[in-house]
Amino acid sequence: MCIRDRFNKENFHKVKNSFLSGFLAIALASLTITSPALAEKNTITIGIEADLARLDPHISTTWNTFKALLHMYEGFVAEDLLAENVETPPIVPSLAESWEISADKKTYTFKLREGVSFHDGEPWNAQAAKFNLDRMTNPDFEFHQPGSVGLLSWVWGDLESYKVVNDFTFEIKLKQPNAEFLRRLSAGGSGTPRMISPAAVRKYGNDGINTNPVGTGPFKFGEREVGVQTVLVKNSGYWDEKRVPKFERLILRGIPEVTTRELGLLTGELDMISTPSPDSLEYLEAQGMTMVKGPVSTIYPIWLNFREGPLKDVRVRRAMAMAIDREGMTKYLRRGTATPAYGILNYGGPGWDPEYRDFPYDPEGAKKLLAEAGYPDGFETRLDWTMGGGGDVNTRADAEWLQRDLGRIGIRAKIELFDNGTYWDMLAKGTREGTCCMQVSWGETGFFWLDLILPTTAQPPNGFNSGYYENPKMNELLASARATSSEAEMVKILHEIRDIVTNDVAFIPLYTPIQVYAMRPEVKGFVLAPQHWADYTSVYKE
């Protein structure tokens, strides 16, 4: 980078910070907003990055939505999101109070928790568990949810059978060992194997669960105004005394515009916000807001469209990877709230190696590769992008950075933006003709998300291999990784997967974010988990 470029970038952010501080101050001075969040001590109102999507856990598709679902629905086991100072949340009992694993590691026998009821009074027992397994996996079941087949393949891909042993004992058999099976049962974000009231499904039907969610969690569904907010209410009869909420109502407001979220926090309209702008952190702290930051098991990779003419040539894909200045993106655009990402394995997941490197930043070398591939003058294409979802902030700026970097080697890309729910539906259908690239943040505390994006069997509509990457070896390697008996063996296979994905340039990793929550000083008790979501039951107001 030349001295002039560095000077311009650094001065741009000084001017931008000054403008932001002035803008927020002027806006605050001119606002006369009633502050319901401040007025209601028994309500916690949180501004999140986008509106919620479907509230049916078996077909839900966004991290933002899971922020609500994890408080309404539960599964056999859970991740303890209130455990502090851990790199990965531990697995703890939930609707199963204990379990046994057979010597061959293929049979799981769950002892179910007694005395638990769904929010509608329906009892939780082994028959309710079977109803939910039938709904997720049995195409002949009356209430089978077809969309769950693809979305939950990462959970049930190794399933052989399941049965009721007695009223409070349930057995699941796998075709092969799965080293992450319990972790997968606890997870969410792209479908989640959590339990819905059978009575509610019978009453409202499969489609009706989206607007009438009924689970067993610490919060019940209250009401939803699509595009505005979702209200959850305290479940006073919740079975776990340690997680009975300390307040009466949890309101999640989807606010894609980050400045609007920040203003809502400053005026007291919101108690907390997720993902403030990197440019606003110092100003928010100066106004007395509490900032909580920490690592999260996430990576931002670019999905490349293998069906798009020029991208069929690996040299073109490699040139695109070499054209992107990841170091500059994290330093100047993300302002230190991210680090460059290399390789498909994410921070916080098994096999991540902080020393691994894939493609160098080399625009001149990229131009030569494009010329070798027959595109000396580049080509025109399109970036399909989302305005943001869980953990996202100013994603349009990411697209504009890529547009600039690709433009420098002759690839002329226009940008089309979509709301988060629409975008995920598009991703599930596969990348559009004429689009070279899409981006979503992903990565988990296990490697199971790779089952949704790498195998040929995960191409739409059965998963999110939305760029139509085809390497038959992926199916075999992922199955081998699941069946390993030691972490060292698992990591060895995951590294082989990583290296193949890099060699094929199936994805271009961009960065790993640092997650940030900002809250008003009277909000206490929040625990930041190394996950894409948090447990809000511990929060309270002084």
Side-chain angles (χ1 to χ4, degrees), residues 201-311:
V201 176
R202 293 188 181 101
K203 179 178 180 180
Y204 300 112
N206 274 345
D207 292 340
I209 290 301
N210 285 310
T211 51
N212 298 278
V214 181
T216 60
F219 284 95
K220 305 177 182 180
F221 177 70
E223 60 181 348
R224 182 180 184 188
E225 187 177 353
V226 175
V228 179
Q229 65 183 26
T230 299
V231 180
L232 308 183
V233 296
K234 176 179 179 177
N235 177 11
S236 299
Y238 183 56
W239 60 267
D240 185 353
E241 292 182 0
K242 298 188 297 295
R243 291 186 64 234
V244 174
K246 296 175 173 59
F247 54 97
E248 297 298 323
R249 296 199 312 161
L250 172 63
I251 301 176
L252 297 174
R253 292 186 54 192
I255 306 174
E257 175 51 56
V258 63
T259 304
T260 306
R261 288 203 301 277
E262 292 165 356
L263 284 172
L265 180 70
L266 290 166
T267 61
E269 187 177 4
L270 303 172
D271 295 303
M272 298 170 56
I273 62 171
S274 53
T275 324
S277 169
D279 296 309
S280 301
L281 302 187
E282 290 182 8
Y283 180 76
L284 291 174
E285 283 189 295
Q287 302 309 304
M289 301 301 112
T290 302
M291 313 300 294
V292 181
K293 310 173 189 176
V296 60
S297 55
T298 308
I299 186 173
Y300 279 74
I302 299 172
W303 269 240
L304 296 175
N305 186 359
F306 276 61
R307 293 185 178 180
E308 191 62 19
L311 274 69

Side-chain angles (χ1 to χ4, degrees), residues 3 25 66 70 76 87 213 239 275 315 347 427 449 465 479 483 485 514:
I3 294 175
F66 194 62
L70 77 87
F76 293 116
E87 292 186 2
W239 60 267
T275 324
R315 291 172 294 183
Y347 170 87
L427 198 70
W449 72 287
N465 182 352
S485 57
I514 301 297

Side-chain angles (χ1 to χ4, degrees), residues 82-122:
L82 296 178
E84 299 190 65
N85 302 316
V86 296
E87 292 186 2
T88 303
I91 300 296
V92 294
S94 186
L95 291 181
E97 61 183 14
S98 63
W99 53 88
E100 294 180 358
I101 305 173
S102 63
D104 64 2
K105 301 186 185 302
K106 293 195 288 187
T107 301
Y108 289 70
T109 304
F110 294 95
K111 177 68 174 68
L112 306 185
R113 193 174 301 278
E114 299 185 32
V116 175
S117 296
F118 290 92
H119 299 150
D120 59 0
E122 177 87 347

Side-chain angles (χ1 to χ4, degrees), residues 17-68:
N17 284 342
S18 177
F19 170 78
L20 275 172
S21 298
F23 172 77
L24 288 173
I26 292 169
L28 282 170
S30 64
L31 283 174
T32 54
I33 295 176
T34 303
S35 301
L38 281 176
E40 298 182 29
K41 190 171 183 178
N42 284 324
T43 296
I44 300 291
T45 304
I46 306 177
I48 58 178
E49 304 90 339
D51 192 27
L52 307 186
R54 294 184 290 260
L55 299 182
D56 181 339
H58 302 160
I59 56 169
S60 180
T61 54
T62 71
W63 287 347
N64 255 338
T65 307
F66 194 62
K67 291 174 181 178

Side-chain angles (χ1 to χ4, degrees), residues 332-350:
Y332 297 110
L333 185 61
R334 291 293 146 203
R335 304 278 285 157
T337 60
T339 57
Y342 303 98
I344 196 63
L345 300 182
N346 62 280
Y347 170 87

